[in-house]
Amino acid sequence: QSVLTQPPSVSGAPGQRVTISCTGSSSNIGAGYDVNWYQQLPGTAPKLLIYGNNNRPSGVPDRFSGSKSGTSASLAITGLQAEDEADYYCQSYDSSLRVGVFGGGTKLAVL
Amino acid sequence: QVQLVQSGAEVKKPGASVKVSCKTSGYTFSNYGISWVRQAPGQGLEWMGWISGYNGYTSYTQKFQGRVTLTTDTSTGTAYMELRSLRSDDTAVYYCARDPGVTTIVWRLDPWGQGTLVTVSS
């Protein structure tokens, strides 16, 4: 059971907008720690997609955006493309556990 | 470009040890740390520990404390992860990833190595 809770799956048609939620608690997201998001394409290593809640590394399309409020964070993907099919993980730091923690991952299906 | 290249797949028997290497290039090794994360088959990501590329200071998650050792070779820019007393539930892909923290962990991983599958089976 992950410290950060994500929906197991989401789906959308090409061109649509989807959001993936990440719910934490007062010892991680709610304590003000940054949230990062990673994209893991099938059979590959994770890749940093969003850092510091809402910043995109160079090369990441602006179709991807992040937000944070209270004890939760969200990843939004607009203009959905087939190549976006992947697993997405949120990640933060937990002050009670004193370790970086990940969400359980969300599988995105592009219909 | 920044690259982390890991050693190849391993098959080990229960009770054995495994040592995975992570060869870095494209940046100054001592200006960053290296974290290790594992992913069991069909499962999510799990942080194991972190090592500073500057002074070798380490931090391990409680779950792996005493069973994992992280080291570096600064002359070659290579990080190593050794896991001892292997069990079947240690079967996983092990990743190294660069962390911006030099004296403290920043908890942001970019980029990642390609992963090393470690299979523990009798």
Side-chain angles (χ1 to χ4, degrees):
Chain A
Q1 189 169 346
S2 303
V3 174
L4 305 179
T5 301
Q6 298 180 234
S9 64
V10 298
S11 63
Q16 283 190 333
R17 178 181 187 269
V18 297
T19 61
I20 298 173
S21 61
C22 175
T23 303
S25 67
S26 58
S27 61
N28 42 68
I29 298 175
Y33 294 106
D34 281 348
V35 177
N36 305 314
W37 289 89
Y38 300 88
Q39 177 192 58
Q40 186 175 32
L41 297 170
T44 70
K47 168 192 163 187
L48 182 65
L49 195 65
I50 296 289
Y51 69 94
N53 306 317
N54 55 14
N55 300 289
R56 280 177 285 105
S58 60
V60 174
D62 59 7
R63 301 186 296 105
F64 296 90
S65 63
S67 63
K68 183 180 112 170
S69 178
T71 59
S72 295
S74 289
L75 173 70
I77 309 172
T78 59
L80 210 53
Q81 299 179 3
E83 67 202 49
D84 298 332
E85 271 206 350
D87 293 326
Y88 293 84
Y89 293 91
C90 61
Q91 173 256 309
S92 185
Y93 173 76
D94 190 283
S95 59
S96 294
L97 299 173
R98 297 188 190 180
V99 70
V101 290
F102 291 95
T106 298
K107 184 174 292 293
L108 169 63
V110 181
L111 305 174
Chain B
Q1 74 280 24
V2 176
Q3 281 192 303
L4 283 69
V5 179
Q6 299 182 223
S7 49
E10 303 262 12
V11 179
K12 296 292 183 181
K13 294 193 182 302
S17 299
V18 68
K19 191 170 186 177
V20 178
S21 68
C22 172
K23 177 79 167 71
T24 71
S25 61
Y27 73 97
T28 302
F29 185 77
S30 59
N31 286 352
Y32 293 83
I34 295 287
S35 278
W36 289 84
V37 175
R38 78 176 187 180
Q39 184 172 36
Q43 301 301 308
L45 302 167
E46 180 177 34
W47 222 298
M48 299 180 67
W50 168 91
I51 184 166
S52 168
Y54 174 68
N55 56 15
Y57 177 76
T58 54
S59 178
Y60 302 110
T61 62
Q62 189 172 10
K63 176 176 179 177
F64 297 101
Q65 191 87 34
R67 210 160 62 92
V68 67
T69 300
L70 303 183
T71 56
T72 60
D73 181 345
T74 55
S75 67
T76 61
T78 302
Y80 299 90
M81 185 283 297
E82 181 180 31
L83 186 61
R84 300 176 292 278
S85 302
L86 289 168
R87 307 183 290 255
S88 57
D89 62 358
D90 289 320
T91 294
V93 176
Y94 291 78
Y95 293 102
C96 62
R98 191 181 70 166
D99 184 293
V102 175
T103 56
T104 185
I105 312 171
V106 172
W107 305 106
R108 181 173 84 228
L109 306 178
D110 179 47
W112 295 54
Q114 83 278 19
T116 297
L117 175 62
V118 176
T119 303
V120 183
S121 174
S122 55

